Amino acid sequence: MSQATTFPTSRKRKPKRSAKALIIAALCSLTALAVILTNDPSLLSWGKAWPGLIRPLLRMLCFLGIGLVVGIAVEGMGWAPLLATLVRPVMRFGNLKDESGAAFTTAFFSGTAANTMLMTFWKENKISLQEMKLSYLINTGLPVFLLHLPTTFFIIVPMTRTAGIIYLSLNGLAALIRTIGLLIWTRITFAPHKTDNEITDQPANRKTSAAKILSAFRRRFTRICTVTAPVYFLIYALNQAGMFEYLRTSAAGWVTSAYLPVEAVSVVVFAVAAEFTTGIAAAGALLDGGSLTTTQLVLALVLGTIVATPIRALRHQLPSQTGVFTFKIGFPMLLMSQLLRISSLICVTILYLWIAS
């Protein structure tokens, strides 16, 4: 049908949303400039701005652009049912549509592409706003954990051995619990979808031109850049002003407990620092020196993760989230995903400590 070969019109109230995006962009930019000029105007020089601001921002926008192209191509070419085939039993259990299944499959390879696809499907009226939000939360569970597992495994396990395996297992179990719990919730919330009949009715010639993909990409990528770049600029300014360092050191002070020795405090502080590898190296050194037992090290790493999660989310995920989803939608979803991650990790850690005691 013609609907399958063209991009449907965007939702209404576009001028109002554009005005809000411009206002947010202006406020973020002006605030960032004020913070930098107040603390260190030299941060605006090319020698400091290029490695600290411009190059990372361009890299982020590049990945966002790739994810946007993937999302537009999947929607325009009608590939969502094909991708959803891989996880259709899971999506059928959660009463989720094929579009959510396509994003779920993509999340195992690229979180940015999955987010862009969800936003695209919602804007094209393929899924509801509630399904988009719940699908996003599902994607931040097991898919994101498995996506980063190869990197984290070869950093953590060689240095911390058994403690690292237990730590990763707790994170994996927490991610699995979040995913299953949210699927149960969507099963209760949403009515079943007739996925099998829909697939047989799909037209065979689902093709769209490269010009249409480029046009849709240019329009949406411009809006993403309008929000992402100023928000990233503000995060950069606040980071250079020492706000996140203050949050790290402040948070590390109240996560200690009577169960942990004083030596574990350094692990927590290192773990919430920007260099994750440095924290793991410090943890391994304390374990080798006998300052910490395996159980204490696992708890220290978990506490460090709990502290680091919201701070890293603000620094690294907020700009892209607000760019893809808009600030009104993206920021609450980001907070909810971090809250679910922390609460599930706390639950499985308490269970581990009960078993280990």
Side-chain angles (χ1 to χ4, degrees):
M1 293 288 195
S2 59
Q3 281 185 332
T5 58
T6 59
F7 293 101
T9 56
S10 300
R11 296 174 182 267
K12 295 180 179 180
R13 297 178 295 154
K14 183 177 179 181
K16 185 177 180 180
R17 290 206 310 269
S18 299
K20 288 183 177 179
L22 290 175
I23 292 174
I24 292 175
L27 290 175
C28 290
S29 299
L30 291 175
T31 304
L33 280 174
V35 171
I36 289 178
L37 293 176
T38 302
N39 290 274
D40 186 6
S42 66
L43 292 173
L44 297 176
S45 64
W46 180 258
K48 292 185 177 181
W50 168 251
L53 173 63
I54 300 176
R55 185 170 59 187
L57 177 58
L58 291 176
R59 182 175 180 272
M60 173 183 290
L61 292 177
C62 179
F63 282 110
L64 285 175
I66 294 173
L68 183 58
V69 169
V70 172
I72 294 174
V74 168
E75 192 276 331
M77 300 296 290
W79 293 339
L82 178 61
L83 290 174
T85 302
L86 302 173
V87 292
R88 182 158 294 125
V90 177
M91 295 296 104
R92 185 184 291 117
F93 172 82
N95 290 334
L96 296 171
K97 294 184 177 180
D98 276 346
E99 286 75 14
S100 296
F104 181 80
T105 303
T106 305
F108 285 93
F109 306 97
S110 172
T112 300
N115 292 342
T116 306
M117 289 169 61
L118 286 175
M119 187 62 175
T120 300
F121 292 140
W122 174 65
K123 289 174 70 69
E124 307 302 345
N125 296 298
K126 300 293 181 66
I127 59 176
S128 66
L129 178 62
Q130 185 181 17
E131 182 167 346
M132 182 188 75
K133 292 179 178 179
L134 289 173
S135 296
Y136 164 80
L137 294 176
I138 291 173
N139 293 349
T140 59
L142 194 60
V144 170
F145 172 77
L146 293 178
L147 175 64
H148 296 102
L149 181 60
T151 302
T152 55
F153 180 87
F154 289 105
I155 293 176
I156 295 175
V157 174
M159 296 184 183
T160 57
R161 299 181 296 283
T162 303
I165 295 176
I166 296 174
Y167 167 74
L168 289 175
S169 300
L170 292 178
N171 278 274
L173 180 59
L176 179 62
I177 290 174
R178 293 198 304 274
T179 300
I180 294 177
L182 286 166
L183 285 171
I184 293 174
W185 177 252
T186 58
R187 181 178 178 85
I188 297 173
T189 305
F190 298 134
H193 299 289
K194 298 180 180 180
T195 53
D196 291 332
N197 292 336
E198 289 174 358
I199 295 304
T200 58
D201 295 337
Q202 295 292 340
N205 56 341
R206 280 178 167 256
K207 293 183 179 180
T208 189
S209 65
K212 290 180 179 179
I213 294 178
L214 181 61
S215 176
F217 169 79
R218 185 165 50 244
R219 182 176 64 255
R220 297 174 193 176
F221 190 64
T222 300
R223 185 191 63 80
I224 289 176
C225 292
T226 301
V227 177
T228 301
V231 173
Y232 191 91
F233 184 32
L234 177 59
I235 297 298
Y236 166 78
L238 293 176
N239 182 49
Q240 294 298 324
M243 189 190 80
F244 293 107
E245 184 65 30
Y246 171 77
L247 291 176
R248 283 195 294 267
T249 55
S250 298
W254 54 261
V255 297
T256 57
S257 67
Y259 186 80
L260 282 176
V262 177
E263 291 85 352
V265 178
S266 62
V267 177
V268 175
V269 174
F270 276 122
V272 300
E275 290 294 334
F276 179 71
T277 306
T278 305
I280 299 302
L286 290 174
L287 181 65
D288 292 337
S291 300
L292 293 175
T293 64
T294 298
T295 302
Q296 290 171 339
L297 180 55
V298 170
L299 180 57
L301 291 175
V302 168
L303 290 175
T305 300
I306 292 173
V307 173
T309 292
I311 298 174
R312 286 175 178 162
L314 290 175
R315 287 189 59 187
H316 303 296
Q317 299 179 34
L318 181 60
S320 61
Q321 292 280 100
T322 54
V324 173
F325 292 112
T326 75
F327 187 85
K328 182 179 179 181
I329 298 175
F331 185 63
M333 288 199 306
L334 180 61
L335 291 180
M336 180 58 67
S337 68
Q338 301 308 312
L339 178 62
L340 288 175
R341 181 184 179 188
I342 291 174
S343 58
S344 61
L345 185 56
I346 289 175
C347 290
V348 297
T349 302
I350 291 175
L351 177 62
Y352 162 72
L353 293 176
W354 177 72
I355 295 174
S357 60

